[in-house]
Amino acid sequence: VGFKHSKLALNIVACFFSLLSVNSLAADWYPWYTGSVRQWMTVSTANSTYDNFYWTSGSGTNNFILGGPAYSNITNATMNILGDFNMTFGSAYFLLAEANDKTYSKGTLNIKGNAYIQNGASLYGAGSVDKGQNPTTEAVLNIQGTAYVNNGSYLVGGGSNQNNHNVQFLINKLVIGDQGIFKTGNSPNGHMTFSGQFNDITVENGGQFIAHNDSKGLTSTVVIKKTLIFEPGSTLENYKGLVIGSSRENFVAVGNTVTFDHATVTENMTLAQEQGTINVTGNDYVFADFSQTGGVFNNNGDVTFNGASLDAGQFINTGSLSFTGDSTVNKVIEGNGAINIIGGTFVTDHFENGSVSIQDGVATINQLTETVHHTMIGGELHTNVDEIFGSLGVMGNGELNVITLGATMPEDIRTTMTEFFKKYIPGFVKENLDQYATFNGGKIVLKVGSLTETQVADLTTAFKETFFIRFPKAFPQLSVLWLWA
């Protein structure tokens, strides 16, 4: 629903600008001197239209407000830019709306072309009121082209201390470049609702995308219809969640593709995948509560899940993947990468490729596949008993050959089935287990119905002899404890 709404909203903006384009009398906007550096530049009419917007030099004041009852009598103002919007003057500050201590305010900025916010300039949606009667401020930003934010500049939804903000950004494409910052908002004491709808977002080297800074009064929902790309050296700050395939409140929602390429991502961000593609390259990504019910996850980096549920879709691991917390994998993880169980509880049927290292926690792996090398240095491994032993050792019955004692004449040897000769066939470890399993510590819990004391003692001896005597160099620190269930 969120993605359909995004498309509709952007189409409405496009249709609106097609009507404005017939206005050939519009002129370019340039800053002017207000008479005091502390005064704000303001609009003179509630609805203004310009060909292009140029704030590329100083004007005696560095502040412009579109809808602001504290600085003009226009509380609801709209500005339409038919071409490009240029803010390249370093200390320029453009504010869409700010209420005073009592009065409602709204500002709407429509840009048909591109927006260039550069060299330290700032474009804010709603400004904060420190005291008053909790007035409501609304701000709407429509950009039909591409918004470029870089060189120390800011594009921010706004901030709220005591009042209520409703901010909406509708942007076709957003590019956050070196030292550029996009931020939905900040609301430590008041309440701010931010709604952002985009087609594509790219965060380049040095750029920052701040989706939710964890302030208690902020509700931030960002919907990206197509792609979200974080290039090397970029940063995502998000203390809430990221979902691929649907829109959720306080989440960043992406329709098709998310790419993390050597980027910095807030630790323990909730991650959910319902469809689409997630591509990860680089180190030190830590996600919490990852769920996959569809789509494709390509991991060519170093990823840790603090809790995971993989139920459907495709997961391809060619890097390093670590699990802690409570994790359940109900499908096969593809790829020849490394799997590390570093804590918590982990459950899966089997792996087919790569390597598995159990370092801590409790890991249940029903089958130890011969195409995967399993290494255990700590924690517990729960598996089926026949994954370790080729035979458990059994008591057998045999025929008994007898002659009568004290016979007075030679007597032929007879075979009788009235008595049984009991014989024990010892159990043994699977002959090729050492080729795909290394046990250097921890505890192994085997799933088996029941064993006799003789079988337990025999199998324990068989296991120790197999690894201590036959493979002393391969298993120099073996200290496996056995628990039979």
Side-chain angles (χ1 to χ4, degrees):
V1 175
F3 301 121
K4 292 181 180 178
H5 179 65
S6 173
K7 181 177 181 181
L8 176 61
L10 292 173
N11 285 340
I12 290 174
V13 174
C15 293
F16 174 73
F17 275 116
S18 67
L19 295 175
L20 290 177
S21 63
V22 300
N23 185 355
S24 59
L25 301 178
D28 292 338
W29 184 98
Y30 291 92
W32 63 87
Y33 182 61
T34 63
S36 171
V37 295
R38 285 192 289 258
Q39 292 297 315
W40 289 68
M41 288 179 283
T42 60
V43 294
S44 57
T45 63
N47 195 310
S48 58
T49 300
Y50 298 92
D51 284 329
N52 297 285
F53 183 98
Y54 294 102
W55 198 345
T56 58
S57 61
S59 63
T61 178
N62 301 328
N63 305 312
F64 180 92
I65 188 167
L66 189 57
Y71 304 98
S72 73
N73 60 357
I74 300 175
T75 61
N76 188 346
T78 298
M79 177 180 283
N80 308 302
I81 307 299
L82 303 179
D84 292 337
F85 181 91
N86 299 275
M87 282 184 66
T88 60
F89 178 57
S91 30
Y93 176 74
F94 191 110
L95 180 62
L96 294 183
E98 181 178 82
N100 62 13
D101 60 348
K102 298 178 181 180
T103 308
Y104 162 88
S105 176
K106 180 177 181 180
T108 301
L109 176 61
N110 300 310
I111 302 170
K112 184 176 182 181
N114 297 328
Y116 301 91
I117 307 168
Q118 300 171 330
N119 301 326
S122 300
L123 174 57
Y124 275 68
S128 179
V129 177
D130 292 332
K131 59 183 179 179
Q133 300 179 4
N134 299 319
T136 297
T137 303
E138 292 189 67
V140 180
L141 174 63
N142 300 316
I143 301 177
Q144 189 173 345
T146 301
Y148 298 92
V149 183
N150 52 37
N151 301 118
S153 293
Y154 292 82
L155 177 59
V156 181
S160 174
N161 267 339
Q162 296 182 3
N163 51 328
N164 299 312
H165 287 341
N166 293 306
V167 179
Q168 184 180 35
F169 282 5
L170 302 172
I171 301 176
N172 175 40
K173 185 175 182 180
L174 173 63
V175 178
I176 307 170
D178 184 27
Q179 304 305 313
I181 296 176
F182 172 88
K183 185 176 182 179
T184 61
N186 183 50
S187 186
N189 297 309
H191 182 75
M192 177 173 175
T193 300
F194 177 88
S195 173
Q197 299 178 37
F198 308 80
N199 277 329
D200 301 280
I201 295 179
T202 299
V203 187
E204 299 174 342
N205 181 27
Q208 296 183 52
F209 182 87
I210 304 174
H212 202 298
N213 66 353
D214 208 27
S215 58
K216 62 181 181 180
L218 174 64
T219 300
S220 170
T221 303
V222 177
V223 176
I224 305 165
K225 181 180 178 182
K226 297 178 182 178
T227 61
L228 174 61
I229 299 173
F230 289 90
E231 296 183 352
S234 63
T235 299
L236 169 63
E237 181 179 328
N238 184 18
Y239 289 89
K240 297 300 181 180
L242 173 66
V243 59
I244 319 300
S246 67
S247 179
R248 303 182 188 179
E249 185 176 272
N250 270 332
F251 273 61
V252 175
V254 183
N256 289 340
T257 304
V258 175
T259 299
F260 295 111
D261 184 0
H262 296 87
T264 299
V265 178
T266 301
E267 186 171 316
N268 276 331
M269 176 182 68
T270 298
L271 183 62
Q273 184 176 20
E274 300 175 4
Q275 63 183 39
T277 303
I278 300 177
N279 301 309
V280 178
T281 304
N283 299 324
D284 301 325
Y285 297 98
V286 180
F287 299 105
D289 301 322
F290 172 64
S291 62
Q292 186 183 31
T293 57
V296 180
F297 194 116
N298 294 306
N299 176 40
N300 191 33
D302 183 356
V303 173
T304 298
F305 291 136
N306 288 332
S309 176
L310 280 64
D311 293 316
Q314 188 178 17
F315 198 109
I316 303 172
N317 177 44
T318 56
S320 177
L321 179 61
S322 301
F323 290 92
T324 186
D326 295 328
S327 301
T328 302
V329 178
N330 292 321
K331 62 182 182 181
V332 174
I333 295 178
E334 303 175 40
N336 59 357
I339 305 291
N340 305 294
I341 316 302
I342 60 176
T345 61
F346 177 87
V347 178
T348 194
D349 185 70
H350 70 284
F351 297 97
E352 290 188 351
N353 298 290
S355 62
V356 177
S357 174
I358 303 171
Q359 303 171 21
D360 202 354
V362 178
T364 298
I365 306 175
N366 293 329
Q367 300 179 52
L368 304 182
T369 314
E370 296 184 10
T371 56
V372 178
H373 192 88
H374 305 78
T375 301
M376 184 174 182
I377 61 176
E380 291 185 14
L381 169 62
H382 293 227
T383 190
N384 294 314
V385 67
D386 55 4
E387 298 301 307
I388 301 294
F389 292 99
S391 171
L392 301 183
V394 296
M395 301 295 292
N397 297 329
E399 296 177 343
L400 185 61
N401 298 319
V402 299
I403 59 173
T404 303
L405 295 178
T408 57
M409 58 183 300
E411 183 180 26
D412 293 335
I413 297 175
R414 303 190 312 276
T415 299
T416 178
M417 299 300 293
T418 58
E419 295 185 30
F420 298 91
F421 175 72
K422 303 294 185 181
K423 60 182 179 180
Y424 177 67
I425 303 174
F428 57 86
V429 176
K430 295 178 73 170
E431 293 184 359
N432 61 338
L433 180 62
D434 64 293
Q435 298 176 14
Y436 57 92
T438 301
F439 302 102
N440 283 336
K443 179 189 294 185
I444 297 178
V445 181
L446 299 180
K447 300 176 184 178
V448 63
S450 61
L451 294 173
T452 67
E453 293 183 3
T454 300
Q455 288 175 309
V456 171
D458 173 70
L459 294 175
T460 301
T461 300
F463 185 86
K464 290 181 177 180
E465 287 182 349
T466 297
F467 291 104
F468 276 121
I469 299 175
R470 291 174 55 191
F471 310 107
K473 293 182 180 180
F475 307 95
Q477 301 176 1
L478 182 65
S479 59
V480 178
L481 301 177
W482 292 89
L483 176 62
W484 303 92

